[in-house]
């Protein structure tokens, strides 16, 4: 049998930024439209060959459909074939979703052409293979290595904030200083009162009374007709004039 | 004599005015803190699961401090008008105690706000969302709270994860342990849902096709209300304390000038 025709198409992961195009167990491929129209008959099927990147060189096209390595043989054969699709689904005129998702079928039950999730991050290489009744008829080139995501453990996340914001420092320092001033003012006021009452208790109440009398004394007890001597010395009534000597 | 008498009258007027302002601010603080404690956005389970909900403690303190400020301001007005030394002494001492509590509330709210980083919520979401095997009753309570809150947040705010759907891909999680990566690259609540609550296009959502999934992170929807609460309690309390500081100083000065 003639070797399969080599098509120049290279399968690739879509360039658009889709967050789900590469996950831990699946990846997406651009759909190869209009590629297989010349080589294929209506009864042919297009398979996707998935192999570990280091085993893609050793992969040999299966001579017939019965020899196709399936999904369950990936750990031993290091490759498998999946996504068996009739050729007309890739025709130019066929309406179709723009992407193929490899690994998206979790309900595989030992059936043919299982598209199960990939067991390890890879890297993998893929190519499309057109299988007819007599064996492989055409194939594309191998893709670039496709590496799947590796997730890290959430225990590596450090929730501690990077730095303390200045707002906290401002609020705390201003409030602390205001509180300290208030406390000092209260203590000062209480202390001054206590000190003042302590001093006045020592000298007794006489000072108090004499202060009052000092105010009142010069005003009330000045007898009429009195000439004032220097203040503080009290006030003496002038001596009555001596009786005049008899004439 | 008359000049200092007039000065005392002016001081009395200022103190009454100051106490009126304190009373109104006390009521406002109580109302604001009751609003925060009522948790209108339903974010309390997330904070409870961090085992550090000091912002809510600060809001609770704010409720009681606000009410105490209102009552004490009335006492202060009565004491100033009657020039009663005993009343004013009681007023000053109780005000100082209230001042200390409000200081604690402000500093707690401001400090705890810094603690709520995106990484904190990310780690909590990854470790608790839809975790299947709780360690104990407390763990189950927190898991249920986190799961229900996240489901509600993702649907109401059309967002996914803390920083984006890629959070679920970059890290393993408790969710990943029970939901395989091929069917659930991210939870189905991250998809655009129809009226019955199921995704409009599940394949498009799994691939991340724009229009079928929520591409924003939920951190803004979480930190917005929490920030408002923290700054509301911290800055308003700070403003009240600054004003109260001057009123208290004036009252102490007035108290020392009263003769029996």
């Amino acid at each position: 049998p003639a070797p399969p025709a080599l098509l120049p198409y290279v399968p690739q992961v879509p360039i658009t930024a889709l967050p789900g195009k590469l996950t831990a167990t699946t990846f997406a491929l651009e759909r190869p439209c209009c590629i297989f129209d010349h080589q294929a008959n209506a009864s042919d099927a297009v398979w996707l060959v998935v192999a570990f990147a280091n085993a893609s060189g050793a992969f040999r096209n299966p001579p017939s459909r019965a020899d196709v390595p399936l999904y369950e043989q990936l750990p031993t054969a290091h490759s498998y074939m999946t996504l068996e699709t009739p050729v007309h689904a890739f025709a130019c005129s066929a309406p179709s979703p723009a992407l193929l998702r490899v690994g998206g079928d979790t309900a595989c039950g030992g059936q043919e052409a299982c598209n199960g999730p990939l067991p390890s991050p890879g890297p993998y290489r893929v190519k499309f293979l057109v299988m007819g009744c007599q064996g492989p008829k055409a194939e594309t080139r191998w893709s670039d290595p496709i590496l799947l995501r590796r997730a890290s453990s959430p225990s590596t996340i450090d929730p501690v904030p990077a730095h303390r914001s200045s707002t906290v420092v401002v609020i705390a320092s201003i409030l602390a200083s205001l509180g300290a001033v208030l406390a000092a003012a209260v203590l000062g006021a209480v202390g001054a009162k206590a000190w003042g009452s302590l001093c006045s208790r020592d000298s007794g109440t006489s000072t108090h009374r004499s202060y009052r009398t000092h105010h009142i004394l010069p005003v009330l007890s000045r007898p009429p007709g009195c000439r004032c001597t220097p203040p503080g010395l009290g006030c003496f009534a002038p001596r009555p004039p001596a009786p005049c000597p008899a004439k | 004599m008359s000049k200092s008498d007039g000065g005392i009258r002016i001081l009395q007027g200022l103190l009454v005015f100051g106490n009126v302002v304190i009373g109104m601010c006390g009521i406002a603080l109580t109302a604001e803190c009751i609003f925060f404690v009522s948790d209108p956005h339903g974010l309390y389970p997330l904070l409870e699961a961090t085992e550090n909900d000091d912002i809510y403690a600060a809001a609770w303190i704010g409720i009681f401090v606000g009410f105490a400020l209102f009552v004490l301001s009335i006492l202060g007005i009565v004491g100033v008008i009657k020039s009663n030394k005993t009343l004013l002494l009681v007023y000053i001492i109780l005000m100082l105690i209230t001042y200390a509590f409000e200081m604690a509330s402000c500093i707690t709210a401001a400090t705890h706000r810094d603690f709520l980083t995106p990484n904190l919520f990310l780690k909590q979401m990854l470790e608790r969302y839809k975790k299947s095997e709780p360690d104990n009753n407390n763990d189950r309570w927190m898991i249920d709270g986190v799961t229900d809150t996240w489901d509600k947040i993702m649907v109401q705010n059309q967002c996914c994860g803390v920083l984006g759907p890629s959070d679920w891909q970059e890290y393993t999680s408790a969710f990943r342990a029970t939901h395989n990566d091929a069917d659930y690259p991210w939870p189905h609540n991250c998809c655009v849902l129809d009226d019955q609550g199921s995704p409009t296009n599940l394949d498009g959502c799994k691939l991340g096709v724009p229009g079928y999934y929520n591409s924003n992170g939920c951190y803004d929807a979480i930190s917005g209300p929490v920030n408002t609460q923290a700054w509301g309690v911290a800055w308003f309390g700070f403003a009240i304390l600054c004003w109260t500081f001057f009123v208290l100083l004036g009252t102490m000065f007035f108290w020392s000038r009263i003769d029996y």
Side-chain angles (χ1 to χ4, degrees), chain A residues 182 186 189, chain B residues 72 75-76 85-99 247-256:
Chain A
L182 276 182
V186 166
Chain B
L72 284 178
L75 177 69
K85 273 205 146 173
T86 320
L87 273 185
L88 284 181
L89 190 61
V90 169
Y91 167 82
I92 288 174
I93 292 175
L94 290 181
M95 262 300 210
L96 283 178
I97 296 175
T98 309
Y99 196 92
V247 172
L248 273 180
L249 276 186
T251 310
M252 284 189 231
F253 178 72
F254 179 72
W255 181 82
S256 65

PDB file of all heavy atoms in Angstrom, chain A residues 182 186 189, chain B residues 72 75-76 85-99 247-256:
ATOM      1  N   LEU A 182      -5.473  63.910  76.928  1.00  0.00           N
ATOM      2  CA  LEU A 182      -6.657  63.932  77.798  1.00  0.00           C
ATOM      3  C   LEU A 182      -6.340  63.336  79.167  1.00  0.00           C
ATOM      4  O   LEU A 182      -6.700  63.893  80.207  1.00  0.00           O
ATOM      5  CB  LEU A 182      -7.801  63.150  77.161  1.00  0.00           C
ATOM      6  CG  LEU A 182      -8.657  63.914  76.153  1.00  0.00           C
ATOM      7  CD1 LEU A 182      -9.761  63.009  75.665  1.00  0.00           C
ATOM      8  CD2 LEU A 182      -9.235  65.142  76.802  1.00  0.00           C
ATOM      9  N   VAL A 186      -6.552  65.304  82.702  1.00  0.00           N
ATOM     10  CA  VAL A 186      -7.355  64.876  83.853  1.00  0.00           C
ATOM     11  C   VAL A 186      -6.469  64.707  85.078  1.00  0.00           C
ATOM     12  O   VAL A 186      -6.770  65.191  86.171  1.00  0.00           O
ATOM     13  CB  VAL A 186      -8.090  63.561  83.537  1.00  0.00           C
ATOM     14  CG1 VAL A 186      -8.624  62.940  84.809  1.00  0.00           C
ATOM     15  CG2 VAL A 186      -9.221  63.822  82.572  1.00  0.00           C
ATOM     16  N   ALA A 189      -5.433  68.100  86.341  1.00  0.00           N
ATOM     17  CA  ALA A 189      -6.494  68.835  87.033  1.00  0.00           C
ATOM     18  C   ALA A 189      -6.746  68.240  88.409  1.00  0.00           C
ATOM     19  O   ALA A 189      -6.845  68.962  89.415  1.00  0.00           O
ATOM     20  CB  ALA A 189      -7.772  68.801  86.200  1.00  0.00           C
TER      21      ALA A 189
ATOM     22  N   LEU B  72     -24.421  60.586  77.055  1.00  0.00           N
ATOM     23  CA  LEU B  72     -23.491  61.432  77.794  1.00  0.00           C
ATOM     24  C   LEU B  72     -23.566  62.879  77.339  1.00  0.00           C
ATOM     25  O   LEU B  72     -23.340  63.799  78.137  1.00  0.00           O
ATOM     26  CB  LEU B  72     -22.059  60.909  77.627  1.00  0.00           C
ATOM     27  CG  LEU B  72     -21.737  59.676  78.459  1.00  0.00           C
ATOM     28  CD1 LEU B  72     -20.322  59.220  78.179  1.00  0.00           C
ATOM     29  CD2 LEU B  72     -21.919  59.957  79.936  1.00  0.00           C
ATOM     30  N   LEU B  75     -26.212  64.445  79.316  1.00  0.00           N
ATOM     31  CA  LEU B  75     -25.705  64.693  80.671  1.00  0.00           C
ATOM     32  C   LEU B  75     -24.792  65.906  80.688  1.00  0.00           C
ATOM     33  O   LEU B  75     -24.855  66.746  81.605  1.00  0.00           O
ATOM     34  CB  LEU B  75     -24.952  63.453  81.162  1.00  0.00           C
ATOM     35  CG  LEU B  75     -24.290  63.550  82.520  1.00  0.00           C
ATOM     36  CD1 LEU B  75     -25.335  63.602  83.604  1.00  0.00           C
ATOM     37  CD2 LEU B  75     -23.357  62.379  82.761  1.00  0.00           C
ATOM     38  N   GLY B  76     -23.972  66.025  79.667  1.00  0.00           N
ATOM     39  CA  GLY B  76     -23.048  67.147  79.607  1.00  0.00           C
ATOM     40  C   GLY B  76     -23.773  68.473  79.464  1.00  0.00           C
ATOM     41  O   GLY B  76     -23.403  69.469  80.107  1.00  0.00           O
ATOM     42  N   LYS B  85     -20.719  70.762  89.544  1.00  0.00           N
ATOM     43  CA  LYS B  85     -19.404  70.125  89.477  1.00  0.00           C
ATOM     44  C   LYS B  85     -19.499  68.609  89.479  1.00  0.00           C
ATOM     45  O   LYS B  85     -18.754  67.924  88.792  1.00  0.00           O
ATOM     46  CB  LYS B  85     -18.549  70.591  90.659  1.00  0.00           C
ATOM     47  CG  LYS B  85     -17.800  71.872  90.411  1.00  0.00           C
ATOM     48  CD  LYS B  85     -16.565  71.962  91.300  1.00  0.00           C
ATOM     49  CE  LYS B  85     -15.471  72.678  90.544  1.00  0.00           C
ATOM     50  NZ  LYS B  85     -14.294  72.981  91.275  1.00  0.00           N
ATOM     51  N   THR B  86     -20.451  68.074  90.257  1.00  0.00           N
ATOM     52  CA  THR B  86     -20.542  66.606  90.351  1.00  0.00           C
ATOM     53  C   THR B  86     -20.964  66.005  89.021  1.00  0.00           C
ATOM     54  O   THR B  86     -20.369  65.038  88.536  1.00  0.00           O
ATOM     55  CB  THR B  86     -21.565  66.209  91.424  1.00  0.00           C
ATOM     56  OG1 THR B  86     -21.412  67.085  92.527  1.00  0.00           O
ATOM     57  CG2 THR B  86     -21.375  64.777  91.823  1.00  0.00           C
ATOM     58  N   LEU B  87     -22.005  66.624  88.430  1.00  0.00           N
ATOM     59  CA  LEU B  87     -22.468  66.104  87.145  1.00  0.00           C
ATOM     60  C   LEU B  87     -21.350  66.140  86.111  1.00  0.00           C
ATOM     61  O   LEU B  87     -21.150  65.198  85.345  1.00  0.00           O
ATOM     62  CB  LEU B  87     -23.647  66.938  86.622  1.00  0.00           C
ATOM     63  CG  LEU B  87     -25.056  66.550  87.068  1.00  0.00           C
ATOM     64  CD1 LEU B  87     -26.073  67.411  86.365  1.00  0.00           C
ATOM     65  CD2 LEU B  87     -25.307  65.084  86.788  1.00  0.00           C
ATOM     66  N   LEU B  88     -20.617  67.250  86.100  1.00  0.00           N
ATOM     67  CA  LEU B  88     -19.574  67.382  85.090  1.00  0.00           C
ATOM     68  C   LEU B  88     -18.439  66.405  85.346  1.00  0.00           C
ATOM     69  O   LEU B  88     -17.818  65.905  84.404  1.00  0.00           O
ATOM     70  CB  LEU B  88     -19.035  68.813  85.054  1.00  0.00           C
ATOM     71  CG  LEU B  88     -19.964  69.803  84.361  1.00  0.00           C
ATOM     72  CD1 LEU B  88     -19.346  71.179  84.360  1.00  0.00           C
ATOM     73  CD2 LEU B  88     -20.259  69.368  82.956  1.00  0.00           C
ATOM     74  N   LEU B  89     -18.158  66.124  86.625  1.00  0.00           N
ATOM     75  CA  LEU B  89     -17.104  65.148  86.907  1.00  0.00           C
ATOM     76  C   LEU B  89     -17.510  63.764  86.417  1.00  0.00           C
ATOM     77  O   LEU B  89     -16.717  63.044  85.789  1.00  0.00           O
ATOM     78  CB  LEU B  89     -16.829  65.120  88.409  1.00  0.00           C
ATOM     79  CG  LEU B  89     -15.587  64.335  88.821  1.00  0.00           C
ATOM     80  CD1 LEU B  89     -14.350  64.945  88.198  1.00  0.00           C
ATOM     81  CD2 LEU B  89     -15.454  64.308  90.332  1.00  0.00           C
ATOM     82  N   VAL B  90     -18.767  63.403  86.688  1.00  0.00           N
ATOM     83  CA  VAL B  90     -19.273  62.119  86.181  1.00  0.00           C
ATOM     84  C   VAL B  90     -19.202  62.087  84.656  1.00  0.00           C
ATOM     85  O   VAL B  90     -18.770  61.103  84.044  1.00  0.00           O
ATOM     86  CB  VAL B  90     -20.724  61.900  86.663  1.00  0.00           C
ATOM     87  CG1 VAL B  90     -21.361  60.739  85.938  1.00  0.00           C
ATOM     88  CG2 VAL B  90     -20.751  61.676  88.154  1.00  0.00           C
ATOM     89  N   TYR B  91     -19.601  63.206  84.054  1.00  0.00           N
ATOM     90  CA  TYR B  91     -19.572  63.298  82.591  1.00  0.00           C
ATOM     91  C   TYR B  91     -18.164  63.074  82.062  1.00  0.00           C
ATOM     92  O   TYR B  91     -17.954  62.308  81.116  1.00  0.00           O
ATOM     93  CB  TYR B  91     -20.105  64.667  82.190  1.00  0.00           C
ATOM     94  CG  TYR B  91     -19.858  65.065  80.755  1.00  0.00           C
ATOM     95  CD1 TYR B  91     -20.682  64.629  79.744  1.00  0.00           C
ATOM     96  CD2 TYR B  91     -18.797  65.903  80.415  1.00  0.00           C
ATOM     97  CE1 TYR B  91     -20.480  65.003  78.436  1.00  0.00           C
ATOM     98  CE2 TYR B  91     -18.579  66.277  79.106  1.00  0.00           C
ATOM     99  CZ  TYR B  91     -19.424  65.837  78.121  1.00  0.00           C
ATOM    100  OH  TYR B  91     -19.203  66.210  76.832  1.00  0.00           O
ATOM    101  N   ILE B  92     -17.183  63.737  82.682  1.00  0.00           N
ATOM    102  CA  ILE B  92     -15.810  63.641  82.176  1.00  0.00           C
ATOM    103  C   ILE B  92     -15.297  62.216  82.302  1.00  0.00           C
ATOM    104  O   ILE B  92     -14.703  61.665  81.361  1.00  0.00           O
ATOM    105  CB  ILE B  92     -14.885  64.628  82.928  1.00  0.00           C
ATOM    106  CG1 ILE B  92     -15.198  66.048  82.501  1.00  0.00           C
ATOM    107  CG2 ILE B  92     -13.427  64.314  82.660  1.00  0.00           C
ATOM    108  CD1 ILE B  92     -14.455  67.100  83.283  1.00  0.00           C
ATOM    109  N   ILE B  93     -15.544  61.589  83.448  1.00  0.00           N
ATOM    110  CA  ILE B  93     -15.017  60.235  83.641  1.00  0.00           C
ATOM    111  C   ILE B  93     -15.660  59.259  82.657  1.00  0.00           C
ATOM    112  O   ILE B  93     -14.985  58.462  82.001  1.00  0.00           O
ATOM    113  CB  ILE B  93     -15.256  59.794  85.099  1.00  0.00           C
ATOM    114  CG1 ILE B  93     -14.372  60.637  86.024  1.00  0.00           C
ATOM    115  CG2 ILE B  93     -14.963  58.318  85.278  1.00  0.00           C
ATOM    116  CD1 ILE B  93     -14.612  60.374  87.480  1.00  0.00           C
ATOM    117  N   LEU B  94     -16.991  59.322  82.512  1.00  0.00           N
ATOM    118  CA  LEU B  94     -17.651  58.388  81.591  1.00  0.00           C
ATOM    119  C   LEU B  94     -17.258  58.656  80.146  1.00  0.00           C
ATOM    120  O   LEU B  94     -17.099  57.737  79.340  1.00  0.00           O
ATOM    121  CB  LEU B  94     -19.171  58.490  81.743  1.00  0.00           C
ATOM    122  CG  LEU B  94     -19.718  57.935  83.054  1.00  0.00           C
ATOM    123  CD1 LEU B  94     -21.226  58.060  83.090  1.00  0.00           C
ATOM    124  CD2 LEU B  94     -19.309  56.482  83.230  1.00  0.00           C
ATOM    125  N   MET B  95     -17.060  59.924  79.813  1.00  0.00           N
ATOM    126  CA  MET B  95     -16.624  60.263  78.459  1.00  0.00           C
ATOM    127  C   MET B  95     -15.251  59.699  78.175  1.00  0.00           C
ATOM    128  O   MET B  95     -14.974  59.250  77.060  1.00  0.00           O
ATOM    129  CB  MET B  95     -16.574  61.781  78.271  1.00  0.00           C
ATOM    130  CG  MET B  95     -17.793  62.349  77.603  1.00  0.00           C
ATOM    131  SD  MET B  95     -18.057  61.676  75.963  1.00  0.00           S
ATOM    132  CE  MET B  95     -18.853  63.029  75.197  1.00  0.00           C
ATOM    133  N   LEU B  96     -14.368  59.730  79.178  1.00  0.00           N
ATOM    134  CA  LEU B  96     -13.037  59.184  78.953  1.00  0.00           C
ATOM    135  C   LEU B  96     -13.103  57.691  78.691  1.00  0.00           C
ATOM    136  O   LEU B  96     -12.394  57.154  77.828  1.00  0.00           O
ATOM    137  CB  LEU B  96     -12.133  59.472  80.153  1.00  0.00           C
ATOM    138  CG  LEU B  96     -11.612  60.906  80.224  1.00  0.00           C
ATOM    139  CD1 LEU B  96     -10.763  61.097  81.472  1.00  0.00           C
ATOM    140  CD2 LEU B  96     -10.789  61.243  78.997  1.00  0.00           C
ATOM    141  N   ILE B  97     -13.979  56.991  79.422  1.00  0.00           N
ATOM    142  CA  ILE B  97     -14.122  55.553  79.189  1.00  0.00           C
ATOM    143  C   ILE B  97     -14.654  55.302  77.777  1.00  0.00           C
ATOM    144  O   ILE B  97     -14.143  54.447  77.037  1.00  0.00           O
ATOM    145  CB  ILE B  97     -15.060  54.944  80.253  1.00  0.00           C
ATOM    146  CG1 ILE B  97     -14.432  55.075  81.631  1.00  0.00           C
ATOM    147  CG2 ILE B  97     -15.357  53.491  79.936  1.00  0.00           C
ATOM    148  CD1 ILE B  97     -15.329  54.610  82.756  1.00  0.00           C
ATOM    149  N   THR B  98     -15.686  56.073  77.401  1.00  0.00           N
ATOM    150  CA  THR B  98     -16.229  55.916  76.048  1.00  0.00           C
ATOM    151  C   THR B  98     -15.178  56.238  75.000  1.00  0.00           C
ATOM    152  O   THR B  98     -15.091  55.591  73.956  1.00  0.00           O
ATOM    153  CB  THR B  98     -17.434  56.852  75.864  1.00  0.00           C
ATOM    154  OG1 THR B  98     -18.327  56.668  76.941  1.00  0.00           O
ATOM    155  CG2 THR B  98     -18.142  56.574  74.567  1.00  0.00           C
ATOM    156  N   TYR B  99     -14.376  57.255  75.274  1.00  0.00           N
ATOM    157  CA  TYR B  99     -13.298  57.643  74.365  1.00  0.00           C
ATOM    158  C   TYR B  99     -12.346  56.482  74.134  1.00  0.00           C
ATOM    159  O   TYR B  99     -11.955  56.192  72.997  1.00  0.00           O
ATOM    160  CB  TYR B  99     -12.555  58.836  74.972  1.00  0.00           C
ATOM    161  CG  TYR B  99     -11.682  59.588  74.008  1.00  0.00           C
ATOM    162  CD1 TYR B  99     -12.188  60.671  73.315  1.00  0.00           C
ATOM    163  CD2 TYR B  99     -10.361  59.233  73.805  1.00  0.00           C
ATOM    164  CE1 TYR B  99     -11.407  61.391  72.445  1.00  0.00           C
ATOM    165  CE2 TYR B  99      -9.571  59.938  72.928  1.00  0.00           C
ATOM    166  CZ  TYR B  99     -10.096  61.023  72.253  1.00  0.00           C
ATOM    167  OH  TYR B  99      -9.315  61.728  71.379  1.00  0.00           O
ATOM    168  N   VAL B 247     -13.988  69.180  73.068  1.00  0.00           N
ATOM    169  CA  VAL B 247     -15.103  69.402  73.992  1.00  0.00           C
ATOM    170  C   VAL B 247     -14.713  68.989  75.404  1.00  0.00           C
ATOM    171  O   VAL B 247     -15.016  69.683  76.387  1.00  0.00           O
ATOM    172  CB  VAL B 247     -16.355  68.642  73.521  1.00  0.00           C
ATOM    173  CG1 VAL B 247     -17.443  68.698  74.567  1.00  0.00           C
ATOM    174  CG2 VAL B 247     -16.864  69.223  72.216  1.00  0.00           C
ATOM    175  N   LEU B 248     -13.997  67.868  75.503  1.00  0.00           N
ATOM    176  CA  LEU B 248     -13.579  67.404  76.833  1.00  0.00           C
ATOM    177  C   LEU B 248     -12.586  68.361  77.473  1.00  0.00           C
ATOM    178  O   LEU B 248     -12.671  68.639  78.673  1.00  0.00           O
ATOM    179  CB  LEU B 248     -12.966  66.007  76.734  1.00  0.00           C
ATOM    180  CG  LEU B 248     -13.958  64.855  76.804  1.00  0.00           C
ATOM    181  CD1 LEU B 248     -13.229  63.534  76.687  1.00  0.00           C
ATOM    182  CD2 LEU B 248     -14.734  64.895  78.103  1.00  0.00           C
ATOM    183  N   LEU B 249     -11.653  68.863  76.681  1.00  0.00           N
ATOM    184  CA  LEU B 249     -10.709  69.824  77.245  1.00  0.00           C
ATOM    185  C   LEU B 249     -11.439  71.071  77.744  1.00  0.00           C
ATOM    186  O   LEU B 249     -11.162  71.593  78.837  1.00  0.00           O
ATOM    187  CB  LEU B 249      -9.677  70.231  76.187  1.00  0.00           C
ATOM    188  CG  LEU B 249      -8.475  69.312  75.998  1.00  0.00           C
ATOM    189  CD1 LEU B 249      -7.482  69.929  75.034  1.00  0.00           C
ATOM    190  CD2 LEU B 249      -7.790  69.022  77.328  1.00  0.00           C
ATOM    191  N   GLY B 250     -12.396  71.547  76.922  1.00  0.00           N
ATOM    192  CA  GLY B 250     -13.165  72.707  77.345  1.00  0.00           C
ATOM    193  C   GLY B 250     -13.965  72.434  78.609  1.00  0.00           C
ATOM    194  O   GLY B 250     -14.062  73.287  79.511  1.00  0.00           O
ATOM    195  N   THR B 251     -14.526  71.225  78.702  1.00  0.00           N
ATOM    196  CA  THR B 251     -15.311  70.886  79.889  1.00  0.00           C
ATOM    197  C   THR B 251     -14.433  70.824  81.127  1.00  0.00           C
ATOM    198  O   THR B 251     -14.833  71.280  82.210  1.00  0.00           O
ATOM    199  CB  THR B 251     -16.004  69.539  79.693  1.00  0.00           C
ATOM    200  OG1 THR B 251     -16.675  69.535  78.444  1.00  0.00           O
ATOM    201  CG2 THR B 251     -16.992  69.261  80.797  1.00  0.00           C
ATOM    202  N   MET B 252     -13.229  70.268  80.959  1.00  0.00           N
ATOM    203  CA  MET B 252     -12.332  70.212  82.121  1.00  0.00           C
ATOM    204  C   MET B 252     -11.945  71.608  82.580  1.00  0.00           C
ATOM    205  O   MET B 252     -11.903  71.907  83.783  1.00  0.00           O
ATOM    206  CB  MET B 252     -11.071  69.426  81.760  1.00  0.00           C
ATOM    207  CG  MET B 252     -11.293  67.944  81.710  1.00  0.00           C
ATOM    208  SD  MET B 252      -9.723  67.114  81.555  1.00  0.00           S
ATOM    209  CE  MET B 252     -10.046  66.073  80.189  1.00  0.00           C
ATOM    210  N   PHE B 253     -11.689  72.482  81.614  1.00  0.00           N
ATOM    211  CA  PHE B 253     -11.347  73.860  81.954  1.00  0.00           C
ATOM    212  C   PHE B 253     -12.520  74.523  82.648  1.00  0.00           C
ATOM    213  O   PHE B 253     -12.364  75.214  83.658  1.00  0.00           O
ATOM    214  CB  PHE B 253     -10.971  74.609  80.670  1.00  0.00           C
ATOM    215  CG  PHE B 253     -10.648  76.048  80.887  1.00  0.00           C
ATOM    216  CD1 PHE B 253      -9.470  76.420  81.512  1.00  0.00           C
ATOM    217  CD2 PHE B 253     -11.531  77.045  80.485  1.00  0.00           C
ATOM    218  CE1 PHE B 253      -9.170  77.752  81.722  1.00  0.00           C
ATOM    219  CE2 PHE B 253     -11.225  78.378  80.692  1.00  0.00           C
ATOM    220  CZ  PHE B 253     -10.044  78.742  81.310  1.00  0.00           C
ATOM    221  N   PHE B 254     -13.724  74.325  82.124  1.00  0.00           N
ATOM    222  CA  PHE B 254     -14.937  74.895  82.714  1.00  0.00           C
ATOM    223  C   PHE B 254     -15.132  74.359  84.129  1.00  0.00           C
ATOM    224  O   PHE B 254     -15.479  75.114  85.060  1.00  0.00           O
ATOM    225  CB  PHE B 254     -16.135  74.548  81.820  1.00  0.00           C
ATOM    226  CG  PHE B 254     -17.442  75.049  82.310  1.00  0.00           C
ATOM    227  CD1 PHE B 254     -17.730  76.396  82.257  1.00  0.00           C
ATOM    228  CD2 PHE B 254     -18.405  74.187  82.823  1.00  0.00           C
ATOM    229  CE1 PHE B 254     -18.948  76.873  82.710  1.00  0.00           C
ATOM    230  CE2 PHE B 254     -19.611  74.656  83.268  1.00  0.00           C
ATOM    231  CZ  PHE B 254     -19.889  76.000  83.225  1.00  0.00           C
ATOM    232  N   TRP B 255     -14.901  73.056  84.305  1.00  0.00           N
ATOM    233  CA  TRP B 255     -15.064  72.422  85.611  1.00  0.00           C
ATOM    234  C   TRP B 255     -14.134  73.055  86.638  1.00  0.00           C
ATOM    235  O   TRP B 255     -14.509  73.287  87.786  1.00  0.00           O
ATOM    236  CB  TRP B 255     -14.803  70.929  85.489  1.00  0.00           C
ATOM    237  CG  TRP B 255     -14.958  70.127  86.727  1.00  0.00           C
ATOM    238  CD1 TRP B 255     -16.099  69.659  87.255  1.00  0.00           C
ATOM    239  CD2 TRP B 255     -13.904  69.693  87.594  1.00  0.00           C
ATOM    240  NE1 TRP B 255     -15.859  68.945  88.409  1.00  0.00           N
ATOM    241  CE2 TRP B 255     -14.512  68.950  88.639  1.00  0.00           C
ATOM    242  CE3 TRP B 255     -12.518  69.852  87.628  1.00  0.00           C
ATOM    243  CZ2 TRP B 255     -13.780  68.377  89.670  1.00  0.00           C
ATOM    244  CZ3 TRP B 255     -11.793  69.281  88.651  1.00  0.00           C
ATOM    245  CH2 TRP B 255     -12.424  68.547  89.663  1.00  0.00           C
ATOM    246  N   SER B 256     -12.910  73.360  86.200  1.00  0.00           N
ATOM    247  CA  SER B 256     -11.962  73.917  87.157  1.00  0.00           C
ATOM    248  C   SER B 256     -12.290  75.359  87.494  1.00  0.00           C
ATOM    249  O   SER B 256     -11.804  75.903  88.479  1.00  0.00           O
ATOM    250  CB  SER B 256     -10.547  73.821  86.603  1.00  0.00           C
ATOM    251  OG  SER B 256     -10.436  74.647  85.459  1.00  0.00           O
TER     252      SER B 256
END
